[in-house]
Amino acid sequence: MQVIRVTKQEEGQRLDRYLGKYLSQAPMSFFYKMLRKKNITLNGKKAAGKEKLQEGDEITFFLSDDTIQKFRGVENIGQRADNRTASSGQPTVKKQKDTSPERKKQKDTVTSGQQITLDVVYEDEEILVINKPVGMLSQKAGKEDISLVEYVTDYLMTREEQNNTTFRPGICNRLDRNTTGLIVAGKTIKSLQYMNRLFRERALQKYYLCLVKGRVAGSAYIDGYLKKDEKHNRVTVTRQKQPGAVRIVTAYEPLSVAGWKGEEYTLLKVHLITGKSHQIRAHLKSIGHPIVGDTKYGEKSLYHLFKKEFGVRYQLLHAWKLCLDAADYLPEKYHGKVFTAPLPECFYRVIQELGLTTEEEK
């Protein structure tokens, strides 16, 4: 027999989903059979599996230790995780002491073997807001990848806690590997639910900063249709709807324009109204203003010029600001909350050298 008490992090989910995480190797039919036979009970009573769990609820397993270990599959999970860290060369995560939003610089690139210090913009008991560096995956693309999700998990939980709970922190929005800026993570099931809903329903405003080729004369609201080629991980943007394409909407405002080496460049503030893969990069390219440093949708000659002069090796696109609405399901303390992430060091140096100014510096 084993008794488990539901933690604050785990509350808010259905009992059957909790069981599916805790005994991850067992089929769902096993849970429902055990619930019917009262071999698994909730607070000492028979349960159907649809009950919403609360902090302090007790789940009792009238099962042998061997059965529980078999269906958990966690006998060597700690050792496997340690071996993965050692073999991949990936570092552990340490908390950053200075999390001031006013800080102007951050490390530009995540590389194998370096120690990662998460750039924490905001943290409370429910959510964590990170300024993601270039080179870091938001989520795993392959089984062996270590992404921001794993770094956040290690930041928030000890290895013992990871082994003994069904809860895993999760992120509520994603950025391309080489796009920097704000990502929101949930520290509890409930916060993941309401923050994911906020992003899904677009009950917030997402603003980016990017450097583009050419003079952008004024603000604009542009829409079009985006179609993704999954095989080549590339999108195309058209004005007319095509089979398999989805509508995209992007707004932008020029903050400053500067001339350099015979070409003009504009620092744009972009309002991402819909959020689709590669939307900003492809949309701006489609109107003749590719982002500096973008090897997929930009110009190769432009990439090589900025690489030579400034060491730029990625697109100068930064998820800069999040402004939350007063959604009725969102805790009141987040109503109207604004998060801002300082520019990466390389991006900041480029706009300084070109004589451009951000909105905050005007």
Side-chain angles (χ1 to χ4, degrees):
M1 186 183 78
Q2 185 178 105
V3 180
I4 295 176
R5 187 181 294 271
V6 176
T7 67
K8 181 175 177 59
Q9 290 176 318
E10 296 168 320
E11 71 174 355
Q13 61 187 311
R14 282 174 35 155
L15 172 60
D16 53 1
R17 293 177 182 174
Y18 177 98
L19 295 174
K21 295 173 185 176
Y22 188 71
L23 302 178
S24 59
Q25 306 304 308
M28 292 301 292
S29 58
F30 173 79
F31 304 135
Y32 295 125
K33 181 179 180 180
M34 293 300 100
L35 288 168
R36 286 196 304 271
K37 292 188 172 184
K38 296 182 69 175
N39 287 335
I40 299 177
T41 62
L42 178 62
N43 296 323
K45 299 178 180 179
K46 184 176 180 179
K50 297 181 180 180
E51 295 81 359
K52 281 288 187 72
L53 297 176
Q54 301 295 324
E55 181 182 7
D57 282 348
E58 289 190 347
I59 302 169
T60 303
F61 297 87
F62 295 96
L63 306 171
S64 69
D65 290 342
D66 287 345
T67 299
I68 293 173
Q69 289 181 354
K70 172 187 173 182
F71 285 138
R72 288 208 69 194
V74 297
E75 294 91 339
N76 296 311
I77 189 170
Q79 185 61 45
R80 289 200 303 270
D82 291 341
N83 289 342
R84 181 187 68 175
T85 301
S87 63
S88 67
Q90 294 289 345
T92 57
V93 180
K94 290 187 176 181
K95 294 187 179 182
Q96 180 168 303
K97 293 181 180 180
D98 180 11
T99 61
S100 169
E102 288 75 28
R103 186 179 56 80
K104 284 293 184 181
K105 296 181 179 180
Q106 68 178 56
K107 293 296 182 182
D108 277 302
T109 309
V110 173
T111 57
S112 178
Q114 86 177 71
Q115 190 171 54
I116 301 301
T117 301
L118 287 182
D119 188 353
V120 179
V121 173
Y122 176 86
E123 182 177 8
D124 62 19
E125 69 279 4
E126 297 183 78
I127 69 170
L128 180 70
V129 183
I130 301 296
N131 187 4
K132 185 187 84 67
V134 69
M136 181 183 286
L137 289 167
S138 297
Q139 291 181 314
K140 287 186 177 187
K143 184 178 180 180
E144 300 304 318
D145 290 334
I146 297 181
S147 68
L148 179 59
V149 173
E150 283 68 53
Y151 289 121
V152 167
T153 300
D154 284 346
Y155 174 88
L156 295 174
M157 305 171 70
T158 66
R159 185 66 63 192
E160 182 179 356
E161 288 172 330
Q162 292 178 42
N163 292 345
N164 295 324
T165 181
T166 64
F167 175 76
R168 290 292 181 273
I171 61 173
C172 306
N173 62 309
R174 291 181 294 176
L175 298 174
D176 294 337
R177 181 197 289 267
N178 289 327
T179 297
T180 57
L182 294 169
I183 289 185
V184 178
K187 297 171 67 173
T188 68
I189 291 291
K190 283 187 175 180
S191 62
L192 278 171
Q193 290 171 342
Y194 61 66
M195 291 305 297
N196 276 326
R197 182 177 176 185
L198 199 73
F199 278 92
R200 184 174 64 252
E201 296 181 354
R202 301 174 191 161
L204 76 172
Q205 289 76 52
K206 296 179 283 187
Y207 296 98
Y208 289 66
L209 293 179
C210 63
L211 182 64
V212 301
K213 180 182 178 181
R215 172 181 284 270
V216 179
S219 301
Y221 177 98
I222 56 176
D223 60 14
Y225 293 89
L226 179 147
K227 186 173 183 179
K228 186 170 184 179
D229 180 347
E230 296 287 353
K231 183 177 180 180
H232 297 98
N233 191 30
R234 187 181 179 91
V235 303
T236 54
V237 173
T238 60
R239 292 186 178 182
Q240 303 299 322
K241 187 173 184 180
Q242 296 182 355
V246 293
R247 185 166 178 254
I248 56 172
V249 182
T250 312
Y252 61 77
E253 172 192 350
L255 299 180
S256 58
V257 180
W260 181 68
K261 291 187 178 293
E263 181 63 70
E264 290 186 303
Y265 297 91
T266 303
L267 181 65
L268 285 183
K269 180 173 76 170
V270 178
H271 181 194
L272 186 64
I273 298 172
T274 58
K276 302 300 180 182
S277 179
H278 301 180
Q279 177 178 325
I280 295 175
R281 297 160 64 189
H283 217 170
L284 292 175
K285 168 65 174 178
S286 74
I287 62 171
H289 295 292
I291 295 176
V292 169
D294 190 347
T295 57
K296 181 165 288 191
Y297 301 100
E299 298 178 2
K300 289 184 178 180
S301 60
L302 199 62
Y303 170 79
H304 290 300
L305 174 61
F306 277 79
K307 179 182 176 182
K308 177 182 177 182
E309 296 291 334
F310 302 105
V312 173
R313 298 173 182 270
Y314 62 94
Q315 64 264 12
L316 295 183
L317 175 64
H318 180 68
W320 173 52
K321 184 180 290 188
L322 288 174
C323 306
L324 310 189
D325 291 349
D328 57 3
Y329 53 82
L330 191 67
E332 189 174 349
K333 63 181 177 180
Y334 300 127
H335 289 186
K337 191 78 173 178
V338 177
F339 304 113
T340 305
L343 286 170
E345 181 180 1
C346 185
F347 195 163
Y348 187 72
R349 186 174 70 251
V350 169
I351 66 173
Q352 289 290 300
E353 290 291 330
L354 269 58
L356 297 162
T357 57
T358 67
E359 185 179 66
E360 294 175 325
E361 296 172 321
K362 288 186 176 182

